[in-house]
Amino acid sequence: MKTDRLIGIITTIQQKGTVTAPYLAEKFGVSRRTINRDIEDICKAGIPLLTKQGAGGGVFLAPNFTLSSTAFEQKDTDLLSAEVGSYTVFAVFDFSAESRLEAELGPKAYERKKDGIYLGCGFSSQEDALRWLLSFGDKVLVTSPPEMVKKIKSTIKKMKKRYKT
């Protein structure tokens, strides 16, 4: 059952810290794509999972977020089954934003590359993602999803118009 797998994924991540999608796929006998969808569903339920690509990367709980180590109650299972709104965004940040990213998300949440800091992050809604991303000003470039790129451009256009002198 899918809910059992979702709970199993969360439990595995709690126990191991960071795990890879291939590891989870093998453990639960499903495809990597299924695991990716499961991770999205867990985020939709309000459990902030972050991903980091590359060596030492994987899926992990957002720093400063804790789940009870006791077994899930029925309400937790219902919440996971409901898959309440989540919105995942991928972006590249300027190096000057690193201290803020680390303070808010922890050092494992992003990947530092030559051209910037790469982050894939889930939000409870598109509006939450928009507010947070805009708070970085010109220190962030959203790469995906395309509708978020359009929304940011539209919002900036409105702001320019409002503040035009």
Side-chain angles (χ1 to χ4, degrees):
M1 182 182 198
K2 181 177 180 177
T3 304
D4 294 333
R5 188 175 63 245
L6 296 177
I7 292 170
I9 290 169
I10 295 166
T11 303
T12 301
I13 292 170
Q14 276 187 290
Q15 292 170 349
K16 296 193 174 282
T18 300
V19 295
T20 64
Y23 171 83
L24 291 170
E26 184 176 327
K27 179 177 174 90
F28 294 101
V30 295
S31 70
R32 286 179 64 181
R33 178 68 190 126
T34 297
I35 292 297
N36 290 338
R37 283 191 297 265
D38 288 348
I39 290 167
E40 287 178 29
D41 291 342
I42 291 167
C43 289
K44 288 177 185 177
I47 298 171
L49 294 180
L50 301 174
T51 60
K52 179 180 177 185
Q53 296 180 346
V59 182
F60 54 96
L61 277 170
N64 303 324
F65 180 84
T66 56
L67 283 170
S68 170
S69 58
T70 59
F72 282 91
E73 297 176 9
Q74 184 60 43
K75 64 181 176 69
D76 300 316
T77 302
D78 293 343
L79 182 62
L80 280 170
S81 298
E83 301 170 2
V84 223
S86 176
Y87 194 78
T88 304
V89 174
F90 296 91
V92 181
F93 291 81
D94 188 83
F95 292 112
S96 63
E98 186 169 18
S99 61
R100 178 175 166 195
L101 290 170
E102 186 169 339
E104 292 182 17
L105 304 173
K108 290 184 174 182
Y110 55 85
E111 184 175 359
R112 200 173 211 283
K113 293 187 176 182
K114 287 181 183 180
D115 58 337
I117 297 170
Y118 287 69
L119 172 72
C121 192
F123 295 88
S124 58
S125 70
Q126 185 184 43
E127 285 303 312
D128 286 345
L130 180 66
R131 273 191 296 276
W132 188 74
L133 291 163
L134 286 174
S135 73
F136 282 89
D138 65 348
K139 306 294 184 224
V140 61
L141 172 66
V142 175
T143 58
S144 180
E147 66 268 14
M148 177 54 78
V149 175
K150 285 181 184 177
K151 183 83 170 166
I152 287 176
K153 287 179 179 180
S154 168
T155 302
I156 291 170
K157 201 180 237 183
K158 288 176 188 174
M159 290 172 68
K160 275 178 84 174
K161 193 174 184 179
R162 177 172 284 164
Y163 289 100
K164 194 171 189 172
T165 54

